[in-house]
Structure formats: C-alpha cells, structure tokens
Amino acid sequence: MLVRQLFDAQTFTFTYIVADGINSDAIIIDPVDSKIEQYMKLLKELNLTLKYVFDTHVHADHITAAGKLRELTNCITLLGDATNAACVSKTVSDGDIIQVGNLAFTVLETPGHTQDSFCLYTAGMVFTGDTLFIRGTGRTDFQAGNPVDQYHSIVNKLFTLPDETIVYPGHDYNGNTTSTIWEEKNFNPRLAGKTVEEFKHIMDNLKLPNPKMMDIAVPANLACGLI
Ligand code: FE
C-alpha cells in the first residue's frame, strides 16, 4: 500500500495520495490548488491513475485543487452529501464505500468542524480532515460548526475504530505527522477524560482569528476551486 503525506507550508494542510502501490488507481484527499504540479508529477512518476479526489469538507483556509485535477485527469471529485457545493461530480453518504483498486474506503459522516465534515476509513488508517487533529481538534466557530456534534463525531465514531488505527489529520501546526486512535483517546487534551460540556467550553473559548483566506477560499471551494 502506498500513502504519501504531502504538506502545504502556507496553510499547514496535509494532502494524501493513497493507492494500492505504484501502477495503480489512486485517490487524493484534500488537495491544495497551489500544489497541483507536485501532485501531477508524483502521479506520473508512480504511474498512478487518479480515480477520485475527496475533500473532507468545504475548506476555509485554502483553495481546493479538486476542480483543476478533474479538468486535468477526468477524475471524479467527491464531497459528503451534507455539502452545499453543487460543483462536485458526486456526493457520498455515511457508510458508503469508495473503491480505489483493491482498497475500500468507508465514508464516515463526522459533523462538527463544519456541518459537511466527513472522514475516510480504510483498514489500519483513518483520514480525519479537520475533525480530529494530533492532540487537538478542528475549530467549530464558523461554517455551521458545532462543538457538541464534533464531540459525538469523535468520541462515538472515530474512537470506536481499532486503537491501533493510524490517524492522518488534515492539518498540523506543531510539527506532528501521524498519531493513533489510542493516543488521541488517552492524550488529546481536549478529549481525554472530558465530558461533552467540558469539550464545548474549551471549543467556545478558543478565540481564534478567522483564517486569512476565508473570504476567498469558501466561495472558491463551493465552486471546487474553479473561480
Ligand atoms: Fe477546515
């Protein structure tokens, strides 16, 4: 199995290219528009056929490469069915399976960071978008975010995955790359031993500035990055 974790230093975004191996079908999760050349080069070098682009949600901090990758490769762009972005090729629902070669990804609906946040699980790993970070969580203060929903998405959904499942987050701001479900259950300071009320109190008091690109990124991403 091939998992490439790529990092956009401007927005601290992780993008993933996942496939059975070289010469296979591939999926790209959360691509950033300024990195398209890097993705296209790697796809070519590894002889990967891009089948799907999956955005875990409509992002506020960067512009998706989904639309441009679709133009370049004829891939299918996917978002969860809670999205407002009419530009996607196809929406997927909780429990759906996305088949990429021999890899089967299960779609997990995990609202909270935004109302349209989804994760992808395949044996041994979960791509958590901005739902669950390493020792943190995605903010819940815009795009219809909701800390109570996020708590339930994490505790009652992601934390029911096997403990050894590798967590591949959508961002990291502290130099981390991966974690496991067990680690986050035990050491995530917002979640370990915390009630839903305690989690909500933490999330309601983060006092974060809006992302620099938010006013540009959200409308652009509702058009799959093609404006
Ligand atoms: Fe986000």
Side-chain angles (χ1 to χ4, degrees), residues 25 43 72 91 114 120 168 185 187 197 201:
D25 290 346
L43 290 170
L72 290 167
T91 57
T114 61
L120 282 188
Y168 284 109
K185 269 189 205 171
F187 306 118
E197 291 81 15
H201 182 76

Side-chain angles (χ1 to χ4, degrees), residues 43-56:
L43 290 170
K44 190 161 180 249
E45 287 169 345
L46 303 182
N47 195 28
L48 299 173
T49 304
L50 186 61
K51 283 281 171 196
Y52 296 106
V53 170
F54 182 80
D55 271 309
T56 53

